[in-house]
Amino acid sequence: MSDYNFAYLDEQTKRMIRRAILKGLAVPGYQVPFASREMPMPYGWGTGGVQVSAATLTPDDTLKVIDQGADDTTNAVSIRKFFEKTAGVETTEETEKASVIQTRHRIPEAELTEDQILVYQVPIPEPLRFLEPRETETRKMHALQEYGLMHVKLYEDISQHGAIATAYAYPVKVEGRYVMDPSPIPKFDNPKMEMAAIQLFGAGREQRIYAVPPYTQVVSLDFEDYPFEASKAEHACDLCGSEHSYLDEVILDDAGNRMFVCSDTDYCRSRREAGHSGRLSEEAA
Amino acid sequence: MTPLLQVKNVAKMYGARIGCTDVSFDLYPGEVMGIVGESGSGKSTLLNSLAGHLTPDRGEVIFDTRTEGPVDTVTMSEPERRMLSRTDWAFVHQHARDGLRMSVSAGGNIGERLMAVGDRHYGSIRERAADWLGRVEISESRIDDRPSAFSGGMQQRLQIARNLVTGPRLVFMDEPTGGLDVSVQARLLDLLRGLVREMGLSAIIVTHDLAVVRLLADRLMVMKDGHVVENGLTDQVLDDPQHAYTQLLVSSVLQV
């Protein structure tokens, strides 16, 4: 153990955050204001997610942290180390073994269970923000369910690009009431949001927490004649051969060679261990 | 016949100063009412009080709603009032920039009200947007251009299309021709007159341009220092002004 209080934050702060979380769960999709604390990391690096995780963790939990699906990128590594140091909890890279998963911009490929909590890092919680800059007005629009403006954005997409070009942070309607920004996850992940695990969203700079309880209806907004599509790159993973996972495109050289790999590193590794292989398996090995 | 809008003793104060006071009138379906007066006479305050942008300190503004009949819009709940203001009401601002979303294409601007009342079919929204662009004499090929690429007169016509697309019954206009040059004004007035007659709109037009009310308004109200000093049929008021201020106003128009 360390000289820090368990999970860095003091107990009063964790209590305050838990209250916000409970309120968020009671009103799915509603943005609950909370007194976000200064964290030992810059805004935009997951200060909201970290506070929610800190308030959620117990000493028995096993934590997994992913950044764009990967366990080994800077953001994921440093947040994992942070909680190893301040909370002394077990950490893992395996989705199935984790009880709390903090994520930036992805939902793991493996299906989550009722015993798990998924914590999202959110940069801008307000889905209407880029359409309506006034906070007083957006709150009123949420209160009165005036969501026509959200469709204006989708209309603009179709008129300019011939299809709904919004590929991430794709707006959803939760339980037929609040329109919510699912954080910048790819729209490929949107259908997964109707899941068994609890989903918590923390925005540190904007001081908002919101939540989606298990088995809650989450509908991606669309038009009758331009229905929502969960899109991904039309390839298979070059390492594990998966055709159903969300892929990252990696430029290999300046001669136009590229590869597609699963953005969920744990999923890709477990598939390779199970004997699956992709187009570039030998070269990568 | 039930009046579409009944205004009873509406007053709006700015502290101790009077914005407008003791204003009463009835507006019947299909009727166009002009409000004229000099700057600071309280005509914009009155219009904003009627349209729900300002809360009047006294008085009633009773609108004949489609479902519940006459209802006082000052005391109705905010969701109801906001619903009214994007279905049965329309507000045309003096500056098109106040009434348009400048970062959204012309089609999106017209479609916004449709989407706000629940239209979720892209094809039909676009079709109606194109139809309305045609009605306000904007080429359909401009449907994906932003209003910032439009001239002042086109922006104003786009604002009108955006407001009328849901088929409102009452239109509030605040100096709709202000800031436009005379030939553009003339065409806009022609267009407005056509639309008002064709759709059977009721309208309240605030302006300081007597030519506008002469062309559009059936009835006229003259305001000065927050009070209504004269009202009556437009031609009657303009041709035979009774109040000293109205006489001054009418005689101030330059004859070319």
Side-chain angles (χ1 to χ4, degrees):
Chain A
M1 221 25 208
S2 65
D3 294 334
Y4 290 103
N5 187 42
F6 178 73
Y8 185 78
L9 293 172
D10 61 276
E11 294 303 314
Q12 283 303 316
T13 300
K14 284 196 275 185
R15 206 172 142 178
M16 173 271 293
I17 294 172
R18 285 176 195 140
R19 278 198 190 125
I21 292 173
L22 288 174
K23 182 169 180 182
L25 284 166
V27 193
Y30 172 69
Q31 299 167 46
V32 185
F34 80 111
S36 178
R37 297 290 190 255
E38 195 79 10
M39 296 302 281
M41 57 171 65
Y43 287 125
W45 285 66
T47 52
V50 163
Q51 290 178 78
V52 171
S53 294
T56 310
L57 281 174
T58 67
D60 302 329
D61 272 320
T62 307
L63 179 72
K64 170 185 164 83
V65 185
I66 52 174
D67 169 9
Q68 306 268 17
D71 289 276
D72 53 3
T73 52
T74 320
N75 199 209
V77 170
S78 28
I79 291 174
R80 194 160 59 226
K81 277 195 183 151
F82 175 76
F83 281 118
E84 280 172 2
K85 188 172 176 186
T86 61
V89 291
E90 292 262 321
T91 56
T92 181
E93 295 195 359
E94 290 174 49
T95 306
E96 289 81 1
K97 286 190 182 158
S99 55
V100 175
I101 303 172
Q102 180 170 336
T103 175
R104 174 174 174 266
H105 304 186
R106 259 329 294 283
I107 295 176
E109 302 291 352
E111 197 167 322
L112 302 182
T113 66
E114 290 180 5
D115 301 324
Q116 295 178 307
I117 297 175
L118 187 59
V119 178
Y120 294 79
Q121 302 172 196
V122 182
I124 293 172
E126 179 52 73
L128 302 163
R129 178 60 67 238
F130 291 109
L131 303 158
E132 175 52 66
R134 290 167 293 178
E135 176 70 17
T136 47
E137 188 64 19
T138 54
R139 282 200 201 187
K140 200 166 272 181
M141 290 160 83
H142 281 295
L144 304 179
Q145 274 187 284
E146 288 181 3
Y147 291 131
L149 202 51
M150 211 67 248
H151 274 87
V152 173
K153 180 174 184 282
L154 301 178
Y155 170 95
E156 288 292 283
D157 262 10
I158 301 173
S159 71
Q160 280 170 30
H161 307 287
I164 298 178
T166 304
Y168 65 95
Y170 193 101
V172 294
K173 195 163 202 177
V174 182
E175 203 64 23
R177 178 59 181 86
Y178 283 99
V179 165
M180 184 185 90
D181 184 346
S183 89
I185 58 171
K187 66 176 169 184
F188 174 79
D189 284 341
N190 273 20
K192 293 190 210 163
M193 294 186 80
E194 290 185 356
M195 61 163 74
I198 294 174
Q199 301 171 76
L200 304 176
F201 298 78
R205 178 183 47 205
E206 304 289 327
Q207 313 195 315
R208 293 289 184 280
I209 285 172
Y210 50 104
V212 176
Y215 307 112
T216 301
Q217 185 198 47
V218 179
V219 180
S220 304
L221 301 180
D222 59 4
F223 284 104
E224 285 158 17
D225 45 348
Y226 285 84
F228 171 79
E229 266 178 86
S231 60
K232 68 182 276 283
E234 292 292 331
H235 291 272
C237 172
D238 284 334
L239 295 180
C240 77
S242 170
E243 288 177 1
H244 306 291
S245 63
Y246 190 74
L247 303 172
D248 284 342
E249 184 178 4
V250 182
I251 307 287
L252 296 176
D253 51 31
D254 57 3
N257 287 313
R258 61 194 59 200
M259 70 186 290
F260 289 89
V261 288
C262 294
S263 90
D264 186 337
T265 52
D266 173 58
Y267 175 80
C268 196
R269 182 190 48 76
S270 64
R271 271 181 61 90
R272 272 177 284 148
E273 282 173 8
H276 295 281
S277 62
R279 185 174 64 94
L280 298 171
S281 286
E282 277 100 342
E283 296 168 45
Chain B
M1 190 160 58
T2 325
L4 186 66
L5 191 76
Q6 300 171 57
V7 179
K8 294 181 180 168
N9 293 317
V10 163
K12 172 74 192 166
M13 311 291 288
Y14 296 109
R17 281 179 299 118
I18 295 170
C20 62
T21 187
D22 296 331
V23 181
S24 302
F25 64 88
D26 288 346
L27 185 75
Y28 286 88
E31 198 178 23
V32 179
M33 163 84 113
I35 304 175
V36 294
E38 60 193 2
S39 300
S41 59
K43 52 193 195 306
S44 290
T45 299
L46 175 63
L47 192 73
N48 284 317
S49 301
L50 299 182
H53 299 172
L54 294 172
T55 312
D57 295 312
R58 282 195 303 278
E60 293 170 53
V61 181
I62 298 166
F63 181 73
D64 185 19
T65 59
R66 279 179 217 237
T67 47
E68 290 163 50
V71 178
D72 185 4
T73 62
V74 179
T75 52
M76 75 170 21
S77 72
E78 190 173 12
E80 289 177 299
R81 193 162 50 235
R82 282 171 75 111
M83 189 63 190
L84 207 55
S85 68
R86 58 177 193 265
T87 51
D88 267 356
W89 287 4
F91 197 101
V92 177
H93 293 264
Q94 174 177 10
H95 301 290
R97 282 166 184 274
D98 297 335
L100 292 171
R101 288 192 189 278
M102 299 306 282
S103 57
V104 168
S105 70
N109 263 297
I110 298 178
E112 183 178 341
R113 275 172 81 109
L114 294 172
M115 292 182 248
V117 294
D119 200 327
R120 294 288 177 267
H121 191 283
Y122 176 82
S124 73
I125 292 170
R126 198 165 169 84
E127 207 172 285
R128 288 181 68 181
D131 173 46
W132 266 99
L133 280 180
R135 290 217 219 173
V136 297
E137 298 163 14
I138 297 175
S139 158
E140 205 184 308
S141 61
R142 306 293 304 266
I143 190 165
D144 290 330
D145 291 348
R146 294 189 173 177
S148 46
F150 287 7
S151 70
M154 282 168 79
Q155 287 182 1
Q156 199 57 279
R157 294 203 298 274
L158 179 62
Q159 196 197 175
I160 288 164
R162 169 189 155 92
N163 272 291
L164 297 188
V165 66
T166 48
R169 293 189 296 156
L170 176 58
V171 188
F172 299 98
M173 299 194 210
D174 190 4
E175 313 253 9
T177 57
L180 302 174
D181 66 60
V182 282
S183 60
V184 175
Q185 265 189 34
R187 278 179 59 202
L188 187 73
L189 286 173
D190 222 29
L191 175 78
L192 274 176
R193 191 162 57 165
L195 289 172
V196 164
R197 295 281 175 267
E198 181 189 325
M199 299 176 69
L201 292 174
S202 302
I204 299 177
I205 301 177
V206 156
T207 182
H208 48 228
D209 188 343
L210 292 182
V212 171
V213 287
R214 175 77 93 175
L215 269 171
L216 287 177
D218 304 312
R219 278 200 298 149
L220 192 59
M221 224 162 70
V222 184
M223 291 190 71
K224 184 166 183 356
D225 300 330
H227 297 268
V228 177
V229 294
E230 188 163 358
N231 70 69
L233 296 174
T234 305
D235 291 343
Q236 177 196 330
V237 174
L238 292 183
D239 295 339
D240 183 19
Q242 301 295 313
H243 190 273
Y245 172 70
T246 317
Q247 291 168 355
L248 176 72
L249 195 69
V250 172
S251 61
S252 305
V253 177
L254 282 177
Q255 302 296 328
V256 184

